[in-house]
Amino acid sequence: MTIRSPGRPALLAAALAVSALLAPHASAGPAEPDSDDSPQADALEQVGPLQLSARGRDAVRGSRPDGASIHVAFSPRPHHPQAALYAELAAFEQARFPEGAPQTIIARPPEPWMAELALPDLPIRWNERTVEYLRYFRDNPRGQSLIRGWIRRMGRYEHIIRPILREVGVPEDLAFVAMAESGFNPAVRSRVGAVGMWQFMSGTGQVYGLNHDFWVDERRDIERSTYAAAAYLKDLRVRFGSWELALAAYNAGYGLVMTAVSRNNTNNFWALCEIESGLPYGTTNYIPKIMAAAIVGRNRAAFKVDDAQLERLPPARWVTVQAPGGTSLKTIASSIGGDLSLIEELNARYRRGRTPPGSDYFPVRIPEQLASRYQAESKRWRREAASNTTHEVSAGETLARIAKRYGVSERELKRANDLDSSAELERGVVLLIPSASRGTPKEADGLDETPLAAVPPVTPGPGQRLVFFETTPATTPRALADAFGVTWEQVVTWNDLDPQARLQSGQVLQLVVPEDFSATAARATVYEQDEVDYVIRGSREHIEVSLERRDLVRRGYKVRRGDTLTKIGKKFDLSVGSLARINGFSRSRELKSGELIVVYVAKGRTRGTVKAPPPEPTTITSAAPEPSASSRSKSSSKSSSKSSSKSSSKSSSKSSSKSKSPSRSSSKPKSAPSESSAASAKPTRAPSTSGTSRVPGKEP
């Protein structure tokens, strides 16, 4: 569980149970610190007896959630401002309701004061857990703090939520579902991706009309998400016939509840709570907790949360105005003299703090009392929008490349678009280019070093050609399929990849595409064959071209009497680890006089070296002949120059019309085996090492 303070280890394990509160249809995970301003470095996660840096773990995972598959490029960090209070609630639950303890139904309230409580419009069945929650909310200081915080925030939205629930035709006291889910905070996000006041997962949200993209997430919209939650809860009630099972399905997913009913042959929620493997522990607490909260809502004076004893947030009343695309909420707040945090909350659907960039206008909510300032200040909004421009991201584009093209810094670009990671730069995303960029956009050509495409030999079939694609943090199997119309299995075969492993940024993939493939139409940045250093992976050519880029050469060295790895390493500015890795032996290797080893040395410092032996063959190179010296010289010269004609969806139509024959010698990879003149209908390639034992080779 992510918490703010390292001084609360006793709550960390218990806080894992908070997941039941944070997401319908799936258990959620750790939440963010209490305050948005809390430094991420201060957040800790408990793993066994250890307290680990959340920021450090996030960096190692590449800004991906725990357990993310290779198909997930990026997932926003979890966020819950009330994480500490929820952790305390979880600690109470684990102490009072041990896992596996039965749900005991009781005939009547056990204490006189409970018998006098007014009941909500939800069916209440008295049970020990509901009773314990009521005692916790009334008598426990921590429980009082939690319920006071909930009721306080409820004041901002209760007048909006109850009428919507009534309009849709469900009990008004289902408002307390939002209380348990998020504490009435539309910006809450769980570790598993449930978002908003009602904690919708992506798929369920889309079914109920809540769409989301790079700029807008309607799950965070106060009104729309409430309508969606009301409709969803109503449908679950129809499906299961009882509010207990409907709420259980909202929390755990209706598929799980259906399975529990079928396997245990009972549609009684309370019976399912008692049966081994009936319902999740968090769900067995979820329904009693909501019932208790709803009882508190109907008896606020008894729990010291009525208006006489608690100052609630004033009801949010707003007017909706139109703002041009790309207008920041910060600009709107400062221009009308409004509270930025309130305006951001009212417009939480704009997940990056501004309206989506472009020529359209978008609805923005501003406090009702400030509506008169809109007309005067809207001109300022239009000026800000007019000073910016936009850029549609192509597959393969990086933040650095886009920033360089428009003459802005990466930091400016990230700040303007509220980017956490370059992995968010998916194909089709429209970025706002800040007004600091006044010059004409530069062509993308010639900005980067010629890519090194070290790949297996592949022969395209008739009507096909090879293109090359450099991966970015946003590249996933699905992204490749969307841009190039290829399957992951094909990409794996053409490039000898591990199908279970994640693509890493900077890999250069060869892809077989139709001869008339258009990078512009595909919105992808690609290289043609003569725009890359095209070599067979693991070959001498591959290693030498790679070293050339670092101003190094591959040479041999004959071991002399008294030589050690340390001594040789100092001579050629190599570490013992590098020498051992290059030659495929251990760091403790005792060298023999006359032994020939490989060293990587700086150009001009080759004195005392000899010609290096060829690299050990790999599965890919074993059938490939050595290239000629002239071929190596040509490749080395090419690798030191900048690419002059990189194809991209914005800068070149070359890849849409180019039809270079794959049989031309200039387009073959160095060290490629001779090809048959008869072309196959399908692209062919050398034997793959994917899923087989690999022949050890030398690491460059």
Side-chain angles (χ1 to χ4, degrees), residues 554-638:
R554 182 176 182 272
R555 298 289 292 171
Y557 175 78
K558 276 192 175 181
V559 177
R560 302 171 184 175
R561 186 186 301 274
D563 275 343
T564 63
L565 288 178
T566 300
K567 186 175 180 180
I568 297 171
K570 288 181 179 179
K571 179 178 179 67
F572 295 109
D573 197 22
L574 290 169
S575 69
V576 171
S578 294
L579 272 175
R581 185 178 69 252
I582 292 167
N583 289 276
F585 48 58
S586 72
R587 297 178 182 222
S588 60
R589 171 72 172 267
E590 293 185 6
L591 301 176
K592 297 178 181 178
S593 179
E595 183 178 0
L596 183 61
I597 65 172
V598 176
V599 293
Y600 297 167
V601 300
K603 294 179 180 178
R605 295 186 58 188
T606 59
R607 184 176 179 180
T609 64
V610 298
K611 181 179 178 180
E616 292 290 333
T618 69
T619 304
I620 298 299
T621 64
S622 57
E626 280 292 305
S628 65
S630 61
S631 172
R632 287 196 297 271
S633 174
K634 179 180 178 181
S635 178
S636 295
S637 174
K638 177 182 176 183

Side-chain angles (χ1 to χ4, degrees), residues 155 162 281 413 614:
R162 286 188 179 275
Y281 171 77
L413 204 53

Side-chain angles (χ1 to χ4, degrees), residues 345-413:
E345 190 168 311
L346 297 181
N347 296 281
R349 70 196 307 262
Y350 299 126
R351 52 190 298 241
R352 298 180 186 275
R354 66 171 73 240
T355 57
S359 57
D360 294 337
Y361 276 67
F362 296 88
V364 172
R365 294 164 178 160
I366 61 175
E368 189 177 60
Q369 67 272 23
L370 300 176
S372 60
R373 303 184 186 180
Y374 164 68
Q375 292 296 336
E377 298 298 333
S378 60
K379 295 179 181 179
R380 177 178 169 184
W381 307 354
R382 290 193 293 271
R383 285 197 301 271
E384 178 186 280
S387 67
N388 298 320
T389 187
T390 61
H391 174 83
E392 183 175 350
V393 177
S394 297
E397 280 194 299
T398 63
L399 192 68
R401 189 174 184 82
I402 296 170
K404 193 169 185 178
R405 177 178 182 182
Y406 289 96
V408 297
S409 69
E410 291 183 56
R411 184 174 181 179
E412 288 176 302
L413 204 53

Side-chain angles (χ1 to χ4, degrees), residues 160-493:
I160 296 168
I161 294 173
R162 286 188 179 275
I164 292 175
L165 297 174
R166 187 168 58 247
E167 177 186 342
V168 176
V170 295
E172 291 183 27
D173 285 323
L174 287 175
F176 293 94
V177 172
M179 176 180 284
E181 291 288 347
S182 67
F184 296 107
N185 190 322
V188 168
R189 181 184 182 91
S190 78
R191 184 176 63 179
V192 297
V195 170
M197 184 182 293
W198 296 90
Q199 287 289 277
F200 272 99
M201 296 294 288
S202 175
T204 308
Q206 289 178 349
V207 169
Y208 284 87
L210 303 177
N211 298 314
H212 62 93
D213 56 26
F214 182 81
W215 287 102
V216 176
D217 192 338
E218 293 180 333
R219 294 174 296 175
R220 294 161 55 110
D221 186 280
I222 300 155
E223 287 185 330
R224 292 181 66 86
S225 67
T226 301
Y227 274 106
Y232 185 37
L233 286 163
K234 186 176 185 179
D235 291 347
L236 291 172
R237 170 66 168 76
V238 170
R239 184 176 198 114
F240 291 103
S242 78
W243 279 114
E244 290 95 340
L245 286 178
L247 289 168
Y250 190 89
N251 176 254
Y254 68 80
L256 185 149
V257 174
M258 290 170 59
T259 300
V261 169
S262 175
R263 288 179 178 173
N264 296 290
N265 198 34
T266 179
N267 60 0
N268 185 333
F269 166 79
W270 304 103
L272 290 172
C273 291
E274 295 179 333
I275 298 172
E276 180 179 306
S277 188
L279 290 171
Y281 171 77
T283 305
T284 64
N285 292 333
Y286 185 78
I287 283 75
K289 177 165 43 207
I290 288 174
M291 289 181 174
I295 291 173
V296 172
R298 293 282 179 166
N299 302 272
R300 300 184 186 188
F303 291 86
K304 302 177 183 178
V305 292
D306 60 338
D307 290 342
Q309 302 177 78
L310 174 68
E311 184 178 354
R312 299 199 298 163
L313 292 180
R317 304 190 187 282
W318 63 74
V319 295
T320 300
V321 300
Q322 296 296 311
T327 306
S328 72
L329 298 179
K330 187 175 182 180
T331 294
I332 292 173
S334 64
S335 64
I336 64 174
D339 177 74
L340 176 59
S341 63
L342 175 60
I343 289 176
E344 287 178 335
E345 190 168 311
L346 297 181
N347 296 281
R349 70 196 307 262
Y350 299 126
R351 52 190 298 241
R352 298 180 186 275
R354 66 171 73 240
T355 57
S359 57
D360 294 337
Y361 276 67
F362 296 88
V364 172
R365 294 164 178 160
I366 61 175
E368 189 177 60
Q369 67 272 23
L370 300 176
S372 60
R373 303 184 186 180
Y374 164 68
Q375 292 296 336
E377 298 298 333
S378 60
K379 295 179 181 179
R380 177 178 169 184
W381 307 354
R382 290 193 293 271
R383 285 197 301 271
E384 178 186 280
S387 67
N388 298 320
T389 187
T390 61
H391 174 83
E392 183 175 350
V393 177
S394 297
E397 280 194 299
T398 63
L399 192 68
R401 189 174 184 82
I402 296 170
K404 193 169 185 178
R405 177 178 182 182
Y406 289 96
V408 297
S409 69
E410 291 183 56
R411 184 174 181 179
E412 288 176 302
L413 204 53
K414 290 183 74 172
R415 184 169 56 247
N417 294 276
D418 194 29
L419 283 167
D420 284 332
S421 168
S422 295
E424 296 181 83
L425 296 181
E426 296 179 346
R427 170 176 171 264
V429 163
V430 176
L431 295 180
L432 181 141
I433 308 300
S435 57
S437 172
R438 299 282 182 185
T440 303
K442 302 174 184 177
E443 290 297 326
D445 298 343
L447 294 180
D448 301 322
E449 184 179 49
T450 302
L452 175 58
V455 292
V458 170
T459 304
Q464 298 176 323
R465 78 174 198 271
L466 284 179
V467 294
F468 297 84
F469 176 82
E470 188 168 0
T471 62
T472 71
T475 305
T476 63
R478 176 168 298 195
L480 292 172
D482 290 345
F484 298 99
V486 297
T487 67
W488 179 233
E489 290 75 16
Q490 288 175 313
V491 176
V492 166
T493 300

Side-chain angles (χ1 to χ4, degrees), residues 638-649:
K638 177 182 176 183
S639 68
S640 62
S641 66
K642 299 291 184 182
S643 172
S644 61
S645 57
K646 184 175 182 184
S647 303
S648 75
S649 60

Side-chain angles (χ1 to χ4, degrees), residues 3-4 8 32-38 79-85:
I3 63 170
R4 180 181 180 184
R8 311 175 86 154
E32 283 292 289
D34 296 1
S35 168
D36 294 346
D37 297 326
S38 301
H79 171 72
H80 200 305
Q82 292 182 307
L85 289 176

Side-chain angles (χ1 to χ4, degrees), residues 449-451 526-533 638 643-647 652 654 658 660:
E449 184 179 49
T450 302
V526 302
Y527 295 88
E528 296 294 340
Q529 290 185 13
D530 62 352
E531 297 169 339
V532 298
D533 279 333
K638 177 182 176 183
S643 172
S644 61
S645 57
K646 184 175 182 184
S647 303
S652 175
K654 181 178 182 181
K658 195 164 187 175
K660 181 163 49 172

